[in-house]
Amino acid sequence: MLTGVNALFALKLPVEFRRVGSRRWLLGYTENMSSCSVRFRAGERIEPKSRIEMIFRMPVGDPCNLVCSGVVLCVDLPAQAGLLPTIAATIDEYSFVRLSSLR
């Protein structure tokens, strides 16, 4: 049973993201996610307060993407070598897009 509206889930999902208006998608993977926020690692930094678009590949039987928009809250540099920076962002809007509907 969930006790909070914004339960946090430890999910490792691939994510593509970009600044709103940019053509270049960047790659990363999630650390955890709730209904209104996400924390993910990525090889490239993006500035706090940037509006971003995100696409998460959902691991379900009927393949779909979770398409979101939000704002970068903070970027944390790794404490040890070999790790990627962590980006925390809001999830302000989202929709599920079935991959079969894109064909």
Side-chain angles (χ1 to χ4, degrees):
M1 175 180 211
L2 295 176
T3 58
V5 175
N6 295 321
L8 192 62
F9 299 96
L11 295 172
K12 302 288 188 214
L13 301 173
V15 60
E16 294 179 44
F17 67 100
R18 66 180 177 185
R19 286 176 190 85
V20 169
S22 174
R23 292 179 144 182
R24 185 169 169 245
W25 287 96
L26 305 170
L27 302 175
Y29 63 92
T30 63
E31 291 281 307
N32 55 54
M33 194 173 206
S34 74
S35 63
C36 62
S37 66
V38 62
R39 181 174 295 273
F40 60 94
R41 292 194 181 270
E44 297 190 41
R45 288 183 51 182
I46 191 165
E47 293 301 313
K49 299 183 182 176
S50 298
R51 292 216 39 86
I52 60 173
E53 299 170 308
M54 301 166 278
I55 300 175
F56 303 95
R57 311 281 180 230
M58 302 307 289
V60 294
D62 185 9
C64 69
N65 290 337
L66 175 60
V67 179
C68 306
S69 63
V71 176
V72 174
L73 298 171
C74 65
V75 178
D76 295 325
L77 297 178
Q80 62 187 30
L83 292 178
L84 299 172
T86 304
I87 299 169
T90 63
I91 296 176
D92 298 331
E93 296 180 21
Y94 66 89
S95 63
F96 288 93
V97 178
R98 285 200 166 126
L99 298 181
S100 59
S101 68
L102 297 177
R103 295 179 191 162

